[in-house]
Amino acid sequence: MPPLATPADDLALLSRAAREAGDIARRFWRQEPRAWDKDGGAGPVTEADLAVNIHLQQMLGAARPSYGWLSEETPDEPARLDAARTFVVDPIDGTRAFIDGQEGFSHALAVVEGDQVIAGVVYLPIPDLMYAARAGGPATLNGAVIAPSAATAPDGASVLTGKASFAPVHWRGGLPPEMRRMFRPSIAWRMCLVAEGQFDAVMALRASWEWDIAAGSLIAERAGCVVSDRRGRALRFNQPQPLADGLLLAPPALHAALLARLVPNAGED
């Protein structure tokens, strides 16, 4: 078997693939693409999601035939668990925003080796924003190195999360004073916005799919954030059940402070 590609080579491949995905998505955006609800309350999907997924699977599979494949829009195959590396892909993260004609959807692509992400990109094709990182390298936005905010305390912090996360039941001593809740439609983009310091933290108290968070987790980590599940445990990817127990992402001191204030078993957002 030939040697595996370097993380830098995988990152370059993901970047090309994400831009090609963006070309496909733009052809459907604001053109009233066909959309329907997936079974089991799994949310909406459009013909654009599927077109992007097919292209990515063909392109990436041809470039790296030995890699496994895990995507929101492809039936899961257990063979990925035996692969040395696996692509973890969300063809369109923020499908509801895409359907509504908003700009805040993204393509989230990652390569996982073992249980860790070694290359990841999150690309927003309409504003042309490419977030990227590889193992051992910096996190970048359109080639420029990014870093998180200097926030250290929950009081006054801006947190990207759902409404239910701010219920007092989730917080020891009640909701931190003046902590501000914000929202963006793509969770992968939310993670990158914290990585570049536009907001202070991302929080999800419900289970999070790997394809939503794999790429963003590496970008945030390489920017200087701490990324964990809702209970502070390290994230592991390419798992048999590809779900994390929520998400908490913030600069180190703020991450520790938020974790100390959160009630670990108070329900989900």
Side-chain angles (χ1 to χ4, degrees):
M1 178 181 295
L4 291 170
T6 66
D9 287 340
D10 276 346
L11 181 58
L13 175 64
L14 294 182
S15 298
R16 292 196 302 272
R19 291 197 180 277
E20 292 185 11
D23 291 341
I24 295 170
R26 278 189 288 265
R27 296 202 296 267
F28 290 94
W29 186 63
R30 293 185 176 174
Q31 300 301 312
E32 299 184 357
R34 290 188 297 112
W36 58 96
D37 289 327
K38 291 186 278 191
D39 294 337
V45 65
T46 73
E47 57 183 325
D49 294 79
L50 301 186
V52 169
N53 188 68
I54 289 169
H55 178 78
L56 290 175
Q57 189 169 16
Q58 291 174 343
M59 178 199 173
L60 295 173
R64 304 283 192 268
S66 68
Y67 288 21
W69 179 260
L70 175 64
S71 167
E72 180 176 10
E73 308 304 344
T74 305
D76 195 7
E77 293 289 344
R80 67 178 171 81
L81 300 174
D82 297 322
R85 290 184 182 169
T86 295
F87 292 112
V88 180
V89 171
D90 192 343
I92 295 181
D93 185 41
T95 296
R96 288 185 176 88
F98 180 85
I99 294 169
D100 291 342
Q102 300 175 31
E103 297 185 0
F105 66 91
S106 70
H107 310 295
L109 289 65
V111 172
V112 173
E113 181 175 282
D115 60 8
Q116 295 298 303
V117 184
I118 63 165
V121 301
V122 174
Y123 180 53
L124 281 74
I126 305 306
D128 190 25
L129 301 176
M130 177 72 77
Y131 300 89
R134 62 170 174 82
T140 61
L141 168 57
N142 291 349
V145 175
I146 57 176
S149 77
T152 60
D155 297 358
S158 59
V159 181
L160 290 161
T161 190
K163 291 180 181 179
S165 298
F166 270 40
V169 68
H170 295 302
W171 300 93
R172 294 185 175 95
L175 190 69
E178 299 183 16
M179 192 168 74
R180 296 167 289 142
R181 189 187 73 82
M182 310 293 185
F183 189 76
R184 295 295 184 272
S186 160
I187 190 169
W189 184 30
R190 287 175 234 164
M191 299 170 79
C192 293
L193 286 167
V194 172
E196 66 166 317
Q198 294 295 314
F199 300 91
D200 298 322
V202 171
M203 185 169 60
L205 300 184
R206 63 182 178 182
S208 301
W209 291 104
E210 288 188 16
W211 47 72
D212 289 327
I213 64 174
S217 71
L218 179 65
I219 293 165
E221 286 176 356
R222 297 310 303 170
C225 294
V226 174
V227 185
S228 72
D229 71 11
R230 60 178 290 189
R231 304 174 201 282
R233 298 172 298 199
L235 298 178
R236 298 286 182 262
F237 294 96
N238 198 31
Q239 299 301 294
Q241 176 70 351
L243 280 169
D245 184 15
L247 177 68
L248 183 62
L249 184 163
L254 178 58
H255 183 279
L258 288 169
L259 189 63
R261 293 288 295 271
L262 279 169
V263 177
N265 297 305
E268 301 177 346
D269 69 349

